[in-house]
Amino acid sequence: MAYYAMVEDGVVTQVIVAETKGWCEDNLGGTWVQTSYNTQGGVNSRQGGEALHKNYAGIGYTWDGSGFAAPQPFPSWNKDLDTYLWEAPTPMPTDGKSYTWDEATTSWVESPAL
């Protein structure tokens, strides 16, 4: 069994487990693309596993014929074309504090301590 994403107009509308892509097409119609929950950022987490289509597909993800990408989180963020992951225009600080992205200032803002 494997995971397959139904793609309509370049957008994932459904993800199911099925025997084959052919089964999906024959029984459900539409366009189906295999996806793997072990793949993120073009890397398969299983030793020796093959990365499949950049990322595991989720509903609302886009498909461009090469890979799946999550919806763009903020207008200022850019998609890395190697990983299909979104990147902020400035890296998040790595000082151990919590931060949230502020699109108005296109910067990371420290989150208040709870």
Side-chain angles (χ1 to χ4, degrees), residues 2 8 12 17 20 23 28 31 36 39 43-44 47-48 64 67 72 77 85 87-88 96 98 101-102 105-106:
E8 297 180 69
V12 175
V17 176
T20 65
W23 184 94
L28 304 171
T31 302
S36 171
T39 300
V43 176
N44 187 306
Q47 184 176 0
D64 66 2
Q72 186 175 13
W77 288 34
L85 299 175
E87 296 180 343
S98 293
W101 181 254
D102 179 24
T105 62
T106 61

Side-chain angles (χ1 to χ4, degrees), residues 91-102:
M92 185 171 66
T94 57
D95 57 9
K97 298 176 184 175
S98 293
Y99 291 88
T100 56
W101 181 254
D102 179 24

